[in-house]
Each structure stands twice: as structure tokens, then as C-alpha cells.
Coordinates of all heavy atoms in Angstrom, one line a residue:
S14 N -41.8 -32.2 39.8 CA -40.6 -32.9 40.2 C -39.5 -31.9 40.6 O -38.5 -32.3 41.1 CB -40.1 -33.8 39.1 OG -39.6 -33.0 38.0
G15 N -39.7 -30.6 40.3 CA -38.7 -29.6 40.6 C -37.6 -29.5 39.5 O -36.8 -28.6 39.6
A16 N -37.6 -30.3 38.5 CA -36.6 -30.2 37.5 C -37.0 -29.1 36.5 O -38.2 -28.9 36.2 CB -36.5 -31.5 36.7
K17 N -36.1 -28.3 36.1 CA -36.3 -27.3 35.1 C -36.2 -27.8 33.7 O -35.2 -28.5 33.4 CB -35.4 -26.1 35.4 CG -35.7 -25.3 36.7 CD -34.9 -24.1 36.8 CE -35.2 -23.3 38.0 NZ -34.5 -22.1 38.1
A18 N -37.1 -27.4 32.9 CA -37.0 -27.7 31.5 C -36.8 -26.5 30.7 O -37.4 -25.4 31.0 CB -38.3 -28.4 31.0
K19 N -36.0 -26.5 29.6 CA -35.8 -25.4 28.8 C -37.0 -25.1 27.9 O -37.4 -26.0 27.2 CB -34.5 -25.6 28.0 CG -34.1 -24.3 27.2 CD -32.8 -24.5 26.5 CE -32.5 -23.2 25.7 NZ -31.2 -23.2 25.1
A20 N -37.5 -23.9 28.0 CA -38.7 -23.6 27.2 C -38.3 -23.1 25.8 O -37.3 -22.3 25.7 CB -39.5 -22.5 27.9
D21 N -39.0 -23.4 24.8 CA -38.8 -22.9 23.5 C -39.6 -21.6 23.4 O -40.8 -21.6 23.3 CB -39.3 -23.9 22.4 CG -39.1 -23.3 21.0 OD1 -38.5 -22.3 20.8 OD2 -39.6 -24.0 20.1
L22 N -38.9 -20.5 23.4 CA -39.6 -19.2 23.4 C -39.9 -18.7 22.0 O -40.5 -17.6 21.8 CB -38.7 -18.1 24.1 CG -38.4 -18.5 25.6 CD1 -37.4 -17.4 26.1 CD2 -39.6 -18.6 26.4
G23 N -39.6 -19.4 21.0 CA -39.8 -19.0 19.6 C -38.9 -17.8 19.2 O -37.8 -17.7 19.7
L24 N -39.5 -16.9 18.5 CA -38.8 -15.7 18.1 C -38.8 -14.7 19.3 O -39.9 -14.4 19.8 CB -39.4 -15.1 16.9 CG -39.4 -15.9 15.6 CD1 -40.2 -15.3 14.5 CD2 -38.0 -16.2 15.1
V25 N -37.7 -14.2 19.7 CA -37.6 -13.3 20.8 C -37.0 -12.0 20.3 O -36.1 -11.9 19.5 CB -36.6 -13.8 21.9 CG1 -36.5 -12.9 23.0 CG2 -37.1 -15.2 22.4
G26 N -37.6 -10.9 20.7 CA -37.2 -9.6 20.2 C -37.2 -8.5 21.3 O -37.5 -8.8 22.5
E27 N -36.7 -7.3 20.9 CA -36.7 -6.2 21.8 C -37.6 -5.1 21.2 O -37.7 -4.9 20.0 CB -35.2 -5.6 21.8 CG -34.2 -6.5 22.5 CD -34.3 -6.5 24.0 OE1 -34.7 -5.4 24.5 OE2 -34.1 -7.5 24.6
P28 N -38.3 -4.3 22.1 CA -39.1 -3.3 21.5 C -38.3 -2.1 20.9 O -37.3 -1.7 21.5 CB -39.9 -2.8 22.7 CG -39.2 -3.3 23.9 CD -38.4 -4.4 23.5
T29 N -38.7 -1.7 19.8 CA -38.0 -0.5 19.1 C -38.9 0.7 19.1 O -38.5 1.8 19.0 CB -37.6 -0.9 17.7 OG1 -38.7 -1.3 16.9 CG2 -36.5 -2.0 17.7
R30 N -40.3 0.4 19.2 CA -41.2 1.5 19.1 C -42.5 1.1 19.8 O -42.9 -0.1 19.6 CB -41.5 1.9 17.7 CG -42.4 3.1 17.4 CD -42.6 3.4 16.0 NE -43.2 2.4 15.2 CZ -44.6 2.3 15.1 NH1 -45.3 3.2 15.6 NH2 -45.1 1.3 14.3
V31 N -43.2 2.0 20.5 CA -44.5 1.7 21.1 C -45.4 2.8 20.6 O -45.1 4.0 20.8 CB -44.4 1.7 22.6 CG1 -45.8 1.6 23.2 CG2 -43.5 0.6 23.1
D32 N -46.5 2.4 20.0 CA -47.5 3.4 19.6 C -48.5 3.6 20.7 O -49.3 2.7 21.0 CB -48.2 2.9 18.3 CG -49.2 3.9 17.8 OD1 -49.5 5.0 18.5 OD2 -49.7 3.7 16.6
A33 N -48.4 4.7 21.5 CA -49.2 4.8 22.7 C -50.6 5.4 22.4 O -51.3 5.6 23.4 CB -48.4 5.7 23.7
R34 N -50.9 5.7 21.2 CA -52.2 6.3 20.9 C -53.4 5.6 21.5 O -54.3 6.1 22.1 CB -52.4 6.6 19.5 CG -51.4 7.7 19.0 CD -51.5 7.9 17.5 NE -51.1 6.7 16.8 CZ -51.0 6.5 15.5 NH1 -51.3 7.5 14.7 NH2 -50.6 5.4 15.0
I35 N -53.4 4.3 21.2 CA -54.6 3.5 21.6 C -54.6 3.4 23.2 O -55.6 3.4 23.8 CB -54.7 2.1 21.0 CG1 -56.0 1.4 21.3 CG2 -53.5 1.2 21.4 CD1 -56.3 0.2 20.4
L36 N -53.4 3.3 23.8 CA -53.3 3.2 25.2 C -53.8 4.5 25.8 O -54.6 4.5 26.8 CB -51.9 3.0 25.7 CG -51.3 1.6 25.3 CD1 -49.9 1.5 25.6 CD2 -52.1 0.5 25.9
D37 N -53.4 5.7 25.2 CA -53.9 7.0 25.7 C -55.5 7.0 25.6 O -56.1 7.5 26.6 CB -53.3 8.1 24.9 CG -51.9 8.4 25.2 OD1 -51.5 8.2 26.4 OD2 -51.2 8.8 24.3
D38 N -56.0 6.5 24.5 CA -57.5 6.5 24.3 C -58.2 5.7 25.4 O -59.2 6.1 26.0 CB -57.9 6.0 23.0 CG -57.5 7.0 21.8 OD1 -57.2 8.1 22.1 OD2 -57.5 6.5 20.7
L39 N -57.6 4.5 25.7 CA -58.2 3.6 26.7 C -58.1 4.2 28.1 O -59.1 4.2 28.9 CB -57.5 2.3 26.7 CG -57.8 1.4 25.5 CD1 -56.8 0.2 25.4 CD2 -59.2 0.9 25.5
I40 N -57.0 4.8 28.4 CA -56.8 5.4 29.7 C -57.7 6.6 29.9 O -58.3 6.8 31.0 CB -55.3 5.8 29.9 CG1 -54.5 4.6 30.0 CG2 -55.1 6.7 31.1 CD1 -53.0 4.8 29.9
T41 N -57.9 7.4 28.8 CA -58.8 8.5 28.9 C -60.2 8.2 29.2 O -60.9 8.9 30.0 CB -58.8 9.3 27.5 OG1 -57.5 9.7 27.2 CG2 -59.8 10.4 27.5
V42 N -60.7 7.0 28.8 CA -62.1 6.6 29.1 C -62.1 5.8 30.4 O -63.2 5.2 30.7 CB -62.8 5.8 28.0 CG1 -62.9 6.7 26.7 CG2 -62.0 4.5 27.7
G43 N -61.0 5.7 31.1 CA -61.0 5.0 32.4 C -60.7 3.5 32.4 O -60.9 2.8 33.4
A44 N -60.4 3.0 31.2 CA -60.1 1.6 31.1 C -58.6 1.3 31.6 O -57.8 2.2 31.5 CB -60.2 1.1 29.6
I45 N -58.4 0.1 32.0 CA -57.0 -0.3 32.4 C -56.6 -1.3 31.4 O -57.0 -2.4 31.3 CB -57.0 -1.0 33.8 CG1 -57.5 0.1 34.9 CG2 -55.6 -1.5 34.1 CD1 -57.7 -0.5 36.2
P46 N -55.6 -0.9 30.5 CA -55.2 -1.8 29.4 C -54.4 -3.0 30.0 O -53.6 -2.8 31.0 CB -54.2 -0.9 28.6 CG -54.5 0.5 29.0 CD -55.1 0.5 30.4
V47 N -54.6 -4.1 29.5 CA -53.8 -5.3 29.8 C -53.0 -5.6 28.5 O -53.6 -5.8 27.5 CB -54.7 -6.5 30.2 CG1 -53.8 -7.7 30.4 CG2 -55.5 -6.1 31.4
I48 N -51.7 -5.6 28.6 CA -50.9 -5.7 27.5 C -50.1 -7.0 27.4 O -49.4 -7.3 28.4 CB -49.9 -4.5 27.4 CG1 -50.7 -3.2 27.5 CG2 -49.0 -4.6 26.2 CD1 -49.8 -2.0 27.8
A49 N -50.2 -7.8 26.4 CA -49.4 -9.0 26.2 C -48.0 -8.5 25.6 O -48.0 -7.7 24.6 CB -50.1 -9.9 25.2
P50 N -46.9 -9.0 26.1 CA -45.6 -8.6 25.6 C -45.2 -9.3 24.3 O -44.3 -10.1 24.3 CB -44.7 -8.9 26.8 CG -45.3 -10.1 27.4 CD -46.8 -9.9 27.3
I51 N -46.0 -9.0 23.3 CA -45.7 -9.5 21.9 C -45.5 -8.4 21.0 O -46.2 -7.4 21.0 CB -47.0 -10.3 21.4 CG1 -47.4 -11.4 22.4 CG2 -46.7 -10.9 20.0 CD1 -46.4 -12.5 22.6
G52 N -44.5 -8.5 20.2 CA -44.1 -7.5 19.2 C -44.3 -8.0 17.8 O -44.3 -9.2 17.6
V53 N -44.4 -7.1 16.9 CA -44.5 -7.4 15.4 C -43.3 -7.0 14.7 O -42.8 -5.9 14.9 CB -45.8 -6.7 14.8 CG1 -45.8 -7.1 13.3 CG2 -47.0 -7.1 15.5
G54 N -42.7 -7.9 14.0 CA -41.4 -7.7 13.3 C -41.6 -6.6 12.3 O -42.5 -6.6 11.5
I55 N -40.7 -5.6 12.2 CA -40.8 -4.5 11.3 C -40.6 -5.1 9.8 O -41.3 -4.7 8.9 CB -39.7 -3.5 11.6 CG1 -40.0 -2.8 12.9 CG2 -39.6 -2.4 10.5 CD1 -38.9 -1.9 13.4
D56 N -39.6 -6.0 9.6 CA -39.3 -6.4 8.3 C -40.2 -7.6 7.8 O -40.6 -7.6 6.6 CB -37.9 -6.9 8.2 CG -36.9 -5.8 8.5 OD1 -37.2 -4.6 8.2 OD2 -35.8 -6.0 9.0
D57 N -40.6 -8.5 8.7 CA -41.3 -9.7 8.3 C -42.7 -9.8 8.8 O -43.4 -10.8 8.5 CB -40.4 -10.9 8.6 CG -40.2 -11.1 10.1 OD1 -40.7 -10.3 10.9 OD2 -39.5 -12.0 10.5
G58 N -43.1 -9.0 9.8 CA -44.5 -9.1 10.3 C -44.6 -10.3 11.3 O -45.8 -10.5 11.7
S59 N -43.6 -11.0 11.6 CA -43.6 -12.1 12.5 C -43.9 -11.6 13.9 O -43.6 -10.5 14.3 CB -42.3 -12.9 12.5 OG -42.1 -13.5 11.3
S60 N -44.5 -12.5 14.7 CA -44.7 -12.2 16.1 C -43.5 -12.5 16.9 O -42.9 -13.6 16.7 CB -45.9 -13.0 16.7 OG -47.1 -12.6 16.1
Y61 N -43.1 -11.6 17.9 CA -41.9 -11.8 18.7 C -42.3 -11.8 20.1 O -43.0 -10.9 20.6 CB -40.9 -10.8 18.4 CG -40.2 -10.9 17.1 CD1 -40.7 -10.5 15.9 CD2 -38.9 -11.5 17.0 CE1 -40.1 -10.6 14.7 CE2 -38.3 -11.7 15.8 CZ -38.9 -11.2 14.6 OH -38.2 -11.4 13.4
N62 N -41.8 -12.7 20.9 CA -41.9 -12.7 22.4 C -41.0 -11.6 22.9 O -39.8 -11.5 22.5 CB -41.5 -14.0 23.0 CG -42.5 -15.1 22.7 OD1 -43.7 -14.9 22.8 ND2 -42.0 -16.3 22.3
I63 N -41.4 -10.8 23.8 CA -40.6 -9.7 24.4 C -40.7 -9.9 25.9 O -41.8 -10.2 26.5 CB -41.2 -8.3 24.0 CG1 -41.1 -8.1 22.5 CG2 -40.4 -7.2 24.7 CD1 -41.7 -6.9 22.0
N64 N -39.5 -9.8 26.6 CA -39.5 -9.9 28.0 C -40.5 -8.9 28.6 O -40.5 -7.8 28.2 CB -38.1 -9.6 28.5 CG -38.0 -9.6 30.0 OD1 -38.4 -8.6 30.6 ND2 -37.5 -10.6 30.6
A65 N -41.4 -9.4 29.5 CA -42.4 -8.5 30.0 C -41.9 -7.3 30.7 O -42.5 -6.2 30.6 CB -43.3 -9.4 31.0
D66 N -40.8 -7.4 31.5 CA -40.3 -6.2 32.1 C -39.8 -5.2 31.1 O -40.0 -4.0 31.3 CB -39.1 -6.6 33.1 CG -39.6 -7.4 34.2 OD1 -40.8 -7.5 34.5 OD2 -38.7 -8.0 34.9
T67 N -39.1 -5.7 30.0 CA -38.6 -4.8 29.0 C -39.8 -4.1 28.3 O -39.8 -2.9 28.0 CB -37.8 -5.6 28.0 OG1 -36.7 -6.3 28.7 CG2 -37.2 -4.7 26.9
A68 N -40.8 -4.9 28.0 CA -42.0 -4.3 27.3 C -42.7 -3.3 28.2 O -43.1 -2.2 27.8 CB -43.0 -5.4 27.0
A69 N -42.8 -3.6 29.5 CA -43.4 -2.6 30.5 C -42.6 -1.3 30.5 O -43.2 -0.2 30.5 CB -43.5 -3.2 31.9
G70 N -41.3 -1.4 30.5 CA -40.4 -0.2 30.4 C -40.6 0.6 29.2 O -40.7 1.8 29.2
A71 N -40.7 -0.1 28.1 CA -41.0 0.6 26.8 C -42.3 1.3 26.8 O -42.5 2.4 26.3 CB -40.8 -0.4 25.6
V72 N -43.3 0.6 27.3 CA -44.7 1.2 27.3 C -44.7 2.4 28.3 O -45.2 3.5 27.9 CB -45.7 0.2 27.8 CG1 -47.1 0.8 28.1 CG2 -45.9 -0.9 26.7
A73 N -44.1 2.3 29.4 CA -44.0 3.4 30.4 C -43.3 4.6 29.8 O -43.8 5.7 29.9 CB -43.3 2.9 31.7
S74 N -42.3 4.4 29.1 CA -41.5 5.4 28.4 C -42.4 6.1 27.4 O -42.5 7.3 27.3 CB -40.2 4.9 27.8 OG -39.5 5.9 27.1
A75 N -43.1 5.3 26.6 CA -43.9 5.9 25.5 C -45.1 6.7 26.0 O -45.5 7.7 25.4 CB -44.5 4.7 24.6
L76 N -45.6 6.3 27.2 CA -46.6 7.1 27.9 C -46.2 8.3 28.7 O -47.0 9.0 29.2 CB -47.4 6.1 28.8 CG -48.3 5.1 28.1 CD1 -48.8 4.1 29.1 CD2 -49.4 5.7 27.3
G77 N -44.8 8.4 28.8 CA -44.3 9.5 29.6 C -44.5 9.3 31.1 O -44.7 10.3 31.8
A78 N -44.6 8.1 31.5 CA -44.9 7.7 32.9 C -43.8 8.3 33.9 O -42.6 8.3 33.5 CB -45.0 6.2 33.1
E79 N -44.2 8.8 35.0 CA -43.3 9.3 36.0 C -42.6 8.1 36.8 O -41.5 8.2 37.2 CB -44.0 10.2 37.0 CG -44.5 11.5 36.4 CD -45.2 12.4 37.4 OE1 -44.9 12.2 38.6 OE2 -45.9 13.2 37.0
R80 N -43.3 7.0 36.9 CA -42.8 5.8 37.6 C -43.3 4.6 36.9 O -44.3 4.5 36.2 CB -43.4 5.8 39.0 CG -43.0 6.9 39.9 CD -43.4 6.6 41.4 NE -42.9 7.7 42.2 CZ -43.7 8.5 42.9 NH1 -45.0 8.4 42.8 NH2 -43.1 9.5 43.6
L81 N -42.5 3.5 37.2 CA -42.8 2.2 36.7 C -42.7 1.2 37.9 O -41.6 1.1 38.5 CB -41.8 1.7 35.6 CG -41.9 0.3 35.2 CD1 -43.3 0.0 34.6 CD2 -40.8 0.0 34.2
L82 N -43.8 0.6 38.3 CA -43.8 -0.3 39.4 C -43.9 -1.7 38.8 O -44.8 -2.0 38.0 CB -44.9 -0.1 40.3 CG -45.0 1.3 40.9 CD1 -46.3 1.5 41.7 CD2 -43.8 1.7 41.7
L83 N -43.0 -2.6 39.2 CA -43.1 -4.0 38.7 C -43.4 -5.0 39.8 O -42.8 -4.8 40.9 CB -41.7 -4.4 38.1 CG -41.2 -3.5 36.9 CD1 -39.8 -3.9 36.5 CD2 -42.2 -3.7 35.7
L84 N -44.3 -5.9 39.6 CA -44.5 -7.0 40.5 C -43.7 -8.2 40.0 O -43.8 -8.6 38.8 CB -46.0 -7.3 40.6 CG -46.9 -6.2 41.0 CD1 -48.4 -6.7 41.0 CD2 -46.6 -5.7 42.4
T85 N -42.9 -8.8 40.9 CA -42.0 -9.8 40.4 C -41.8 -10.9 41.5 O -42.2 -10.6 42.6 CB -40.7 -9.2 40.0 OG1 -39.8 -10.2 39.5 CG2 -40.0 -8.4 41.1
D86 N -41.3 -12.0 41.1 CA -41.0 -13.0 42.1 C -39.5 -13.0 42.6 O -39.1 -14.0 43.2 CB -41.4 -14.4 41.5 CG -40.6 -14.8 40.3 OD1 -39.9 -13.9 39.7 OD2 -40.6 -15.9 39.9
V87 N -38.8 -12.0 42.3 CA -37.4 -11.8 42.7 C -37.4 -10.7 43.7 O -38.2 -9.8 43.7 CB -36.4 -11.6 41.6 CG1 -36.4 -12.8 40.7 CG2 -36.8 -10.3 40.8
A88 N -36.4 -10.7 44.6 CA -36.3 -9.7 45.6 C -36.2 -8.2 45.1 O -36.7 -7.3 45.6 CB -35.1 -10.0 46.5
G89 N -35.5 -8.1 44.0 CA -35.3 -6.8 43.4 C -33.9 -6.6 42.9 O -33.1 -7.6 42.7
V90 N -33.4 -5.4 42.7 CA -32.1 -5.1 42.3 C -31.1 -5.2 43.5 O -31.4 -4.5 44.5 CB -32.0 -3.7 41.6 CG1 -30.5 -3.4 41.2 CG2 -32.9 -3.7 40.4
L91 N -30.1 -6.0 43.3 CA -29.1 -6.1 44.4 C -27.9 -5.4 44.1 O -27.4 -5.3 43.0 CB -28.8 -7.6 44.7 CG -30.0 -8.5 44.9 CD1 -29.6 -10.0 45.1 CD2 -30.8 -8.1 46.1
D92 N -27.2 -4.8 45.1 CA -26.0 -4.1 44.9 C -24.8 -5.1 44.9 O -25.1 -6.4 45.0 CB -25.7 -3.0 46.0 CG -25.6 -3.6 47.4 OD1 -25.4 -4.8 47.6 OD2 -25.7 -2.8 48.3
K93 N -23.6 -4.7 44.8 CA -22.5 -5.6 44.6 C -22.3 -6.5 45.8 O -21.8 -7.6 45.7 CB -21.2 -4.8 44.4 CG -21.1 -4.3 42.9 CD -19.7 -3.9 42.6 CE -19.8 -3.4 41.2 NZ -18.8 -3.9 40.3
S94 N -22.7 -6.1 47.0 CA -22.6 -6.9 48.2 C -23.9 -7.8 48.4 O -24.0 -8.5 49.4 CB -22.3 -6.1 49.4 OG -23.3 -5.1 49.6
G95 N -24.8 -7.8 47.5 CA -26.0 -8.6 47.6 C -27.1 -8.0 48.4 O -28.1 -8.7 48.6
D96 N -27.0 -6.8 48.8 CA -28.1 -6.1 49.5 C -29.1 -5.5 48.6 O -28.8 -5.0 47.5 CB -27.5 -5.0 50.4 CG -26.6 -5.6 51.5 OD1 -26.9 -6.7 52.0 OD2 -25.6 -5.0 51.8
L97 N -30.4 -5.6 49.0 CA -31.5 -5.0 48.2 C -31.4 -3.5 48.1 O -31.2 -2.8 49.1 CB -32.8 -5.4 48.8 CG -34.0 -4.9 48.1 CD1 -34.2 -5.5 46.7 CD2 -35.3 -5.2 48.9
M98 N -31.5 -3.0 46.9 CA -31.6 -1.5 46.7 C -33.0 -1.2 46.6 O -33.8 -1.6 45.8 CB -30.8 -1.2 45.4 CG -29.4 -1.6 45.4 SD -28.5 -1.1 43.9 CE -28.4 0.6 44.2
E99 N -33.5 -0.4 47.6 CA -34.9 -0.2 47.8 C -35.5 0.8 46.7 O -36.7 0.9 46.5 CB -35.2 0.3 49.2 CG -35.0 -0.8 50.2 CD -35.4 -0.5 51.6 OE1 -36.1 0.5 51.8 OE2 -35.0 -1.2 52.5
A100 N -34.6 1.7 46.2 CA -35.1 2.7 45.2 C -33.9 2.9 44.2 O -32.7 2.9 44.6 CB -35.5 4.0 45.9
L101 N -34.3 3.2 43.0 CA -33.3 3.5 41.9 C -33.7 4.7 41.1 O -34.9 4.7 40.7 CB -33.1 2.3 41.0 CG -32.4 1.1 41.5 CD1 -32.5 0.0 40.5 CD2 -31.0 1.4 41.9
G102 N -32.9 5.7 40.9 CA -33.1 6.7 39.9 C -32.4 6.5 38.7 O -31.5 5.6 38.6
T103 N -32.6 7.3 37.7 CA -31.9 7.1 36.4 C -30.4 7.2 36.5 O -29.7 6.4 35.9 CB -32.4 8.0 35.3 OG1 -32.9 9.2 35.9 CG2 -33.5 7.5 34.4
D104 N -30.0 8.1 37.3 CA -28.5 8.2 37.5 C -27.9 7.0 38.2 O -26.9 6.5 37.8 CB -28.2 9.5 38.4 CG -28.5 10.8 37.7 OD1 -28.6 10.8 36.5 OD2 -28.7 11.8 38.5
D105 N -28.7 6.4 39.1 CA -28.2 5.2 39.8 C -28.1 4.0 38.8 O -27.1 3.3 38.8 CB -29.2 4.7 40.9 CG -29.4 5.7 42.0 OD1 -28.4 6.3 42.4 OD2 -30.5 6.0 42.4
V106 N -29.1 3.9 37.9 CA -29.1 2.8 36.9 C -27.9 3.0 36.0 O -27.2 2.0 35.7 CB -30.4 2.8 36.1 CG1 -30.3 1.8 34.9 CG2 -31.6 2.5 37.0
E107 N -27.7 4.2 35.5 CA -26.5 4.4 34.6 C -25.2 4.0 35.3 O -24.3 3.4 34.7 CB -26.5 5.9 34.1 CG -27.7 6.2 33.2 CD -27.8 7.7 32.8 OE1 -26.9 8.5 33.3 OE2 -28.8 8.0 32.2
R108 N -25.1 4.5 36.5 CA -23.8 4.2 37.3 C -23.7 2.7 37.5 O -22.6 2.1 37.3 CB -23.9 4.9 38.6 CG -22.7 4.6 39.5 CD -22.8 5.4 40.9 NE -24.1 5.2 41.5 CZ -24.5 4.2 42.2 NH1 -23.7 3.1 42.4 NH2 -25.6 4.2 42.8
L109 N -24.8 2.0 37.8 CA -24.7 0.5 38.1 C -24.4 -0.3 36.8 O -23.7 -1.3 36.9 CB -26.0 0.1 38.7 CG -26.3 0.6 40.2 CD1 -27.7 0.3 40.6 CD2 -25.3 0.1 41.2
V110 N -24.9 0.2 35.7 CA -24.6 -0.5 34.4 C -23.1 -0.3 34.1 O -22.4 -1.2 33.8 CB -25.4 0.1 33.3 CG1 -24.9 -0.4 31.9 CG2 -26.9 -0.4 33.5
E111 N -22.6 1.0 34.3 CA -21.2 1.3 34.0 C -20.2 0.5 34.9 O -19.2 0.0 34.4 CB -20.9 2.8 34.2 CG -21.5 3.6 33.1 CD -21.4 5.1 33.4 OE1 -20.6 5.5 34.3 OE2 -22.0 5.9 32.6
D112 N -20.6 0.3 36.2 CA -19.7 -0.4 37.1 C -19.9 -1.9 37.1 O -19.2 -2.7 37.8 CB -19.7 0.2 38.5 CG -20.9 -0.2 39.3 OD1 -21.7 -1.1 39.0 OD2 -21.1 0.4 40.4
G113 N -20.8 -2.4 36.3 CA -21.0 -3.8 36.1 C -21.9 -4.5 37.1 O -22.1 -5.7 37.1
T114 N -22.6 -3.7 38.0 CA -23.4 -4.3 39.0 C -24.7 -4.9 38.4 O -25.2 -6.0 38.8 CB -23.9 -3.2 40.1 OG1 -22.7 -2.7 40.7 CG2 -24.8 -3.8 41.1
I115 N -25.2 -4.2 37.4 CA -26.4 -4.7 36.6 C -26.1 -4.6 35.1 O -25.2 -4.0 34.7 CB -27.7 -3.8 37.0 CG1 -27.5 -2.4 36.6 CG2 -28.0 -4.0 38.4 CD1 -28.8 -1.5 36.8
S116 N -26.9 -5.3 34.4 CA -26.7 -5.3 32.9 C -28.0 -5.0 32.2 O -29.1 -5.0 32.8 CB -26.2 -6.6 32.5 OG -27.0 -7.7 32.8

């Protein structure tokens, strides 16, 4: 019908640590890991939903990746005038957060 319904996401969290050892082992043998963005609570052991883009960034950082490519259904990061930014470096991201363009 096109109507949006609010989804119950349950417990939602942010990644605080990624143990990349098993990923390194899988990559070493030529496997391509498929990762569900689910975290385990440090204090209570509960499962937490984590935004997939946020989880991907944390995993890429833990692996020391040079690049992170995301497939998404949105155009990408837009500048203040609404134009697509085709590439971003870390300095760009810091500047855009500081000036309020992105959060």
C-alpha cells in the first residue's frame, strides 16, 4: 500500500570492539565472510541490532582496510547544496561533521 510502518528493532547498539581474528583466518583461506550486524552486550550478553553501515565501518577499521565500499539504496553523501559528493577522505568527513553537513 506504500504506507510505512514503524519497525520494532529491539535492542539497538553501537560497536565498541571487533575481534578480527576469525575474519583474518577466513580471508587467509580465501573465504568471503558474510557478517550479520548483530552485537553482544558487554554487560548483559544480550543481542543488539547494529546499523549495517556502522558495523561495516567498524569491521573495515578492525581489519585495517584501505577502503570501504558500501552498496546502498540512497544516492550517497550530499553536500549542503544537495549535490552528490563522489569521493570523501577522512579530512573531508571531519570537516563535514564540524560544519553540520553530515552527522
Side-chain angles (χ1 to χ4, degrees):
S14 70
K17 290 187 178 183
K19 186 173 180 174
D21 179 8
L22 301 176
L24 298 172
V25 178
E27 293 283 327
T29 57
R30 183 177 67 87
V31 174
D32 185 350
R34 292 176 295 185
I35 191 165
L36 297 172
D37 286 328
D38 291 344
L39 290 168
I40 293 166
T41 298
V42 298
I45 299 173
V47 176
I48 302 167
I51 305 294
V53 178
I55 294 171
D56 296 331
D57 60 4
S59 294
S60 295
Y61 287 82
N62 291 313
I63 299 174
N64 174 280
D66 294 345
T67 304
V72 169
S74 178
L76 291 172
E79 292 181 23
R80 293 190 177 117
L81 172 61
L82 304 175
L83 299 173
L84 300 177
T85 180
D86 62 348
V87 296
V90 178
L91 306 179
D92 65 17
K93 284 195 181 230
S94 54
D96 295 323
L97 177 65
M98 301 181 74
E99 295 186 14
L101 293 172
T103 26
D104 292 341
D105 298 318
V106 173
E107 291 171 5
R108 177 181 48 79
L109 293 169
V110 168
E111 286 175 10
D112 75 11
T114 302
I115 62 175
S116 59

